[in-house]
């Protein structure tokens, strides 16, 4: 036989030069061929060729038996070598897997790597992994590789249910060559439906254990029947052990990261709180300094608005605006003020933050912040602290106002007391005291006497004092009423406006009788008496809740006034008709006199006027357009008749005809 062997799988040819080999040489050649096949790791079917060649060469029985025995031994050696090589490859793969898992820090990446490596090592169609849920008491599908069924990927297995539930419960590996027909396991409709939809038959499951605790199950499965060898079960179990350690390490790493994130968040929160406290303390010091240096509400509001970067409105307890920073800043909503007062905290209403300004249970006012709907906790506390400083300022402001009101009230009493009216020394003292309070007694001054239904005199006096300060006047209680002095040339419109404003503020009708103006403080007692008569007249006429002066009351004012302005009364009542006669040269005034003198009869008036009745009617229509549609009503008719009489008395008599 030639020393050169044929390729694996080919039968060696005999040496033609030497002829057939002797029997003993044939057996030796067969043994050499078997060793060569082992060395080349030839396929198993090639190991039958040396025995066939020995038989063809005419080897004896003993040699053939030796060759066949050597062939079996060579095949056994080959199988052993195959097992060692496979085991070596598996160990290498396990080492590679352990190295790969150690390099991973994300739990999802670890789980995907485990499942993918299991599928590759066992050469299966599918690999998947379930994790135990201690809260639910079951195990759920976590990661799959090679799966196509959505229902299978969403399976949950109760402890003891199916192959996986049994592995999770007992912490032992289980394998099934054909799961669908395997009666060892507790089949459920959901598990069988998912396994059937995925088409799985042969399934192997091994536990994922951390110490004595099972955290899940690792599976390898085929879509055809398959018997899993013990070394394959051991291989998957080894991979599961590595995987469990990697999973636990990744979980601990995530927990550590979460703890670090929480620690960093807590540190940041502590820093933010410390900064907020420092900022709040500085703000409180700045606001307190503004208050102690004599700053007003506008100064505090400007400081708060600048600190919080928003618009601000400050109101007192009655809703009067005290300060505004930011043109678009809305007034504090009433429901927000009530909620803040009840809870003692700032509240948000429609994007506006509202804080009640309190002194104990007493409401002093409110502060509204706009433009900051997303106010942080620290800024909210800063806003609340600012309301405390506002309360301090309002308390000081009220104390000063109360002291000033007492001084103003004393001056008012002295001005309205007639006992010292002729004393020049007293007059000089009054002038000096008034000048210190910003009141000019030399200006024409109106006197207004106020009365409110339900007698809320204290509230009425407080509101009157506020209006008096705005008008640069005086106000306060006097002789059972609230009296207000203010510079005004025409007291009637001022009285009407005050009656409306004070009535709205108090929620009750306020009646205001006015008189004046008085020039010089010595006239004030007499003007006050006239304003008091006007107030009583308004009440007697049923005009409660209105404000007027005596001239506004018509002939009643003429009768009650100390200084009857007859000409002014005639002008107020007959002015349009008098002007028309003066411009056109007509005689509407005389026509009205004749009409009323003849009992409001145009037919009798025509005889007095010596004109046709249609002329009388036309003149009366013209007078009605000038005086108003109600000119002939009883009240207006009375006013007109009195004015016509006064006008007749005041004009010079007509010369008699020659």
């Amino acid at each position: 036989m030639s020393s050169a062997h044929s390729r694996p799988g080919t039968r060696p040819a005999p040496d033609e030069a030497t002829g057939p080999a002797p029997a003993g040489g044939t057996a030796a050649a067969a043994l050499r061929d078997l060793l060569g096949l082992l060395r080349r790791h030839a396929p198993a079917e090639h190991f039958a060729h040396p025995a066939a060649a020995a038989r063809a060469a005419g080897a004896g029985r003993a040699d053939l038996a030796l060759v066949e025995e050597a062939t079996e031994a060579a095949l056994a050696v080959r199988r052993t070598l195959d097992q060692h090589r496979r085991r070596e490859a598996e160990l290498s793969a396990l080492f590679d897997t352990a190295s790969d898992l150690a390099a991973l820090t994300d739990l999802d990446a670890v789980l995907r790597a485990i499942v993918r490596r299991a599928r590759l090592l066992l050469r299966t169609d599918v690999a998947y992994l379930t994790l135990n849920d201690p809260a639910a008491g079951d195990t759920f599908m976590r990661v799959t590789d090679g799966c196509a069924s959505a229902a299978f990927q969403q399976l949950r297995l109760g402890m003891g249910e199916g192959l996986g539930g049994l592995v999770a419960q007992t912490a032992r590996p289980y394998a099934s060559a054909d799961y669908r027909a395997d009666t060892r396991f507790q089949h459920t409709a959901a598990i069988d439906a998912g396994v059937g939809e995925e088409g799985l038959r042969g399934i192997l499951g091994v536990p994922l254990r951390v110490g004595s605790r099972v955290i899940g199950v690792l599976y390898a499965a085929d879509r055809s029947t398959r018997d899993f060898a013990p070394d394959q079960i051991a291989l998957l179990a080894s991979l599961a052990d590595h995987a469990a350690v990697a999973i636990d390490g990744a979980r601990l790493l995530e927990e550590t990261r979460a703890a670090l994130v929480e620690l960093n968040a807590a540190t940041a929160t502590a820093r933010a709180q410390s900064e907020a406290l420092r900022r709040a303390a500085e703000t409180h010091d700045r606001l307190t300094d503004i208050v102690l240096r004599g700053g007003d509400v506008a100064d505090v509001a400007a400081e708060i608005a600048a600190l919080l970067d928003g618009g601000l409105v400050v109101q007192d307890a009655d809703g009067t605006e005290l300060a505004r920073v930011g043109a678009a800043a809305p007034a504090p909503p009433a429901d927000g003020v009530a909620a803040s007062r009840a809870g003692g905290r700032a509240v948000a209403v429609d994007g506006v933050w509202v804080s009640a300004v309190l002194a104990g249970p007493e409401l002093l006012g409110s502060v509204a912040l706009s433009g900051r709907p997303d106010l942080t906790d620290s800024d909210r506390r800063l806003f609340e602290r600012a309301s405390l400083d506002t309360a301090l300022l309002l308390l000081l402001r009220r104390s000063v106002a109360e002291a000033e009101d007492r001084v103003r009230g004393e001056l008012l009493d002295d001005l309205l007391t007639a006992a010292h009216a002729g004393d020049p020394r007293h007059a000089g003292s009054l002038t000096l005291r008034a000048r210190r309070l910003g009141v000019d007694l030399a200006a024409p001054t109106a006197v207004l006497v106020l009365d409110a239904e339900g007698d809320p005199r204290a509230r009425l006096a407080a509101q009157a004092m506020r209006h008096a300060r705005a008008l640069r006047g005086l106000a306060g209680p006097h002789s059972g009423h609230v009296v207000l002095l203010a510079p005004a040339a025409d007291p009637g419109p001022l009285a009407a406006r005050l009656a409306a404003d004070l009535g709205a503020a108090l929620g009750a009708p306020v009646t205001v009788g006015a008189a004046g103006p008085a020039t010089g403080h010595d006239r004030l007692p007499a003007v006050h008496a006239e304003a008091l008569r006007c107030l009583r007249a308004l009440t007697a006429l049923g005009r409660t809740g209105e404000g007027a002066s005596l001239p506004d009351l018509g002939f009643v004012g003429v009768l009650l006034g100390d200084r009857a302005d007859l000409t002014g009364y005639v002008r107020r009542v007959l002015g349009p008709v008098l002007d028309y006669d003066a411009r056109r040269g007509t005689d509407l005034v005389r026509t009205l006199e004749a009409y009323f003198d003849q009992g409001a009869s145009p037919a009798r008036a025509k005889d007095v006027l010596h004109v046709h009745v249609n002329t009388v009617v036309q003149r009366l229509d013209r007078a009605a357009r000038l005086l108003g549609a109600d000119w002939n009503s009883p009240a207006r008719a009375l006013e007109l008749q009195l004015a016509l009489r006064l006008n007749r008395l005041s004009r010079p008599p007509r010369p008699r005809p020659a």
Side-chain angles (χ1 to χ4, degrees):
M1 181 177 296
S2 170
S3 61
H5 295 282
S6 61
R7 293 186 306 271
T10 61
R11 185 173 182 179
D15 191 345
E16 296 177 357
T18 58
T26 302
L31 292 176
R32 285 196 302 270
D33 288 343
L34 288 172
L35 291 174
L37 292 172
L38 285 173
R39 180 176 60 82
R40 294 193 303 274
H41 193 60
E45 59 269 18
H46 290 185
F47 282 76
H49 294 166
R55 281 194 295 272
R61 183 177 301 172
D63 289 339
L64 288 176
L66 178 62
V67 172
E68 289 177 358
E69 183 180 355
T71 300
E72 292 178 2
L75 288 172
V77 170
R78 185 185 184 282
R79 285 194 297 273
T80 301
L81 291 174
D82 285 344
Q83 291 176 357
H84 283 298
R85 289 191 182 94
R86 186 168 61 254
R87 188 60 178 168
E88 182 180 356
E90 292 171 353
L91 289 175
S92 177
L94 284 175
F95 288 134
D96 293 342
T97 299
S99 177
D100 293 343
L101 294 178
L104 296 174
T105 56
D106 180 65
L107 181 58
D108 288 335
V110 169
L111 298 179
R112 288 193 297 270
I114 290 167
V115 172
R116 189 177 304 110
R117 189 59 60 91
R119 183 184 177 196
L120 292 175
L121 287 177
L122 271 72
R123 296 182 177 86
T124 55
D125 298 327
V126 176
Y128 50 98
L129 182 146
T130 61
L131 293 179
N132 291 359
D133 186 350
D138 61 6
T139 180
F140 62 95
M141 198 71 67
R142 183 67 169 81
V143 180
T144 64
D145 190 75
C147 292
S149 167
F152 180 76
Q153 296 177 44
Q154 297 172 5
L155 277 179
R156 296 187 76 97
L157 292 74
M159 292 298 177
E161 294 179 354
L163 184 147
L166 189 60
V167 174
Q169 184 182 51
T170 62
R172 296 176 56 188
Y174 281 91
S176 175
D178 188 357
Y179 175 78
R180 301 181 193 177
D182 201 330
T183 59
R184 294 177 299 159
F185 307 105
Q186 179 184 344
H187 290 261
T188 66
I191 296 174
D192 287 352
V195 171
E197 186 174 322
E198 189 60 46
L200 300 182
R201 305 292 292 272
I203 302 176
L204 168 62
V206 296
L208 294 167
R209 286 179 293 198
V210 177
S212 60
R213 181 169 56 94
V214 177
I215 62 172
V217 179
L218 180 61
Y219 303 83
D222 268 344
R223 293 189 174 89
S224 59
T225 58
R226 174 173 175 175
D227 285 319
F228 290 93
D231 58 343
Q232 294 175 326
I233 298 174
L235 175 62
L236 192 62
S238 298
L239 182 60
D241 291 339
H242 287 294
V245 173
I247 291 173
D248 193 54
R251 179 184 59 80
L252 292 175
L253 184 59
E254 284 193 352
E255 291 177 356
T256 303
R257 286 175 175 169
L260 288 174
V261 170
E262 292 178 0
L263 180 60
N264 290 335
T267 302
T269 301
R271 289 176 179 171
Q273 290 177 348
S274 176
E275 176 63 22
L277 290 174
R278 182 194 63 78
R279 185 182 177 207
E282 290 182 354
T283 301
H284 181 66
D285 292 342
R286 290 164 64 181
L287 294 177
T288 304
D289 184 61
I290 291 175
V291 173
L292 296 179
R293 283 190 292 104
D296 58 10
V297 178
D299 296 328
V300 173
E303 185 70 21
I304 299 171
L307 286 170
L308 297 177
D309 191 23
L312 204 76
V313 171
V314 183
Q315 291 184 346
D316 64 8
D318 297 321
T320 302
E321 187 173 299
L322 303 178
R324 173 180 290 269
V325 180
D335 53 347
V337 176
S340 177
R341 182 182 185 182
R345 304 290 299 275
V347 297
V349 179
D350 298 331
V352 178
W353 284 92
V354 182
S355 180
V357 179
L358 302 172
E362 181 184 1
L363 179 67
L364 300 179
S366 60
V367 184
L369 176 69
S370 61
R372 288 291 306 277
D374 55 344
L375 204 63
T376 62
D377 288 342
S378 61
D379 283 350
R380 178 179 55 79
R381 288 191 293 270
L382 186 63
F383 180 50
E384 293 169 349
R385 184 179 290 270
S387 69
L388 295 177
D389 293 291
T390 305
L392 174 61
L393 181 61
L394 292 181
L395 283 174
L396 292 175
R397 185 172 177 264
R398 185 171 68 178
S399 299
V400 172
E402 289 174 352
E404 183 178 325
D405 287 340
R406 283 194 298 271
V407 174
R408 288 175 176 269
E410 293 171 358
L411 175 61
L412 178 68
D413 286 338
D414 290 343
L415 288 172
L416 298 180
T417 302
H420 304 288
D423 188 349
R425 291 176 299 176
H426 186 68
S429 174
L430 291 176
T431 303
L432 181 60
R433 289 164 58 189
R435 187 179 299 118
R436 289 174 180 172
L437 295 175
V439 177
D440 183 9
L441 295 179
T445 303
V447 180
L448 303 99
V449 181
L450 297 77
D451 191 29
E453 281 194 358
D455 199 27
R457 190 165 302 169
R459 294 175 56 206
L460 177 60
Q463 291 289 339
M465 291 174 185
R466 179 178 295 116
H467 282 78
R469 283 192 291 270
L471 295 170
R472 301 181 66 82
L474 299 173
H478 180 76
S479 300
H481 292 88
V482 177
V483 181
L484 187 148
L485 273 63
D490 188 359
L494 176 60
R497 187 170 71 252
L498 282 176
D501 293 346
L502 294 174
L506 295 179
V510 175
T511 308
V512 181
T519 303
H521 61 82
D522 54 333
R523 286 284 304 154
L524 289 175
V527 175
H528 168 253
E530 185 177 333
L532 186 58
R533 288 195 298 273
C534 181
L535 174 66
R536 290 169 180 166
L538 286 170
T539 305
L541 293 172
R543 294 175 63 176
T544 302
E546 297 183 22
S549 61
L550 283 177
D552 299 325
L553 300 182
F555 72 92
V556 176
V558 173
L559 296 175
L560 296 176
D562 285 343
R563 297 170 294 122
D565 183 10
L566 300 180
T567 303
Y569 175 73
V570 172
R571 290 296 305 172
R572 281 194 297 274
V573 177
L574 288 175
V577 176
L578 293 171
D579 293 340
Y580 189 86
D581 281 349
R583 290 194 309 269
R584 302 292 182 91
T586 55
D587 209 2
L588 296 182
V589 170
R590 188 162 174 266
T591 302
L592 288 172
E593 290 175 352
Y595 172 75
F596 285 116
D597 288 345
Q598 299 303 317
S601 171
R604 290 196 295 270
K606 66 148 175 97
D607 296 332
V608 175
L609 297 172
H610 305 291
V611 295
H612 195 273
V613 66
N614 290 339
T615 303
V616 176
V617 171
Q618 290 173 359
R619 291 179 180 178
L620 292 177
D621 288 342
R622 171 64 64 185
R625 286 195 291 272
L626 295 172
L627 296 174
D630 63 339
W631 72 278
N632 209 14
S633 65
R636 287 293 303 280
L638 179 59
E639 293 275 357
L640 285 171
Q641 291 178 66
L642 180 59
L644 289 169
R645 293 289 179 91
L646 293 173
N647 181 61
R648 184 186 307 169
L649 293 172
S650 63
R651 70 177 177 239
R654 293 184 179 183
R656 292 185 178 186

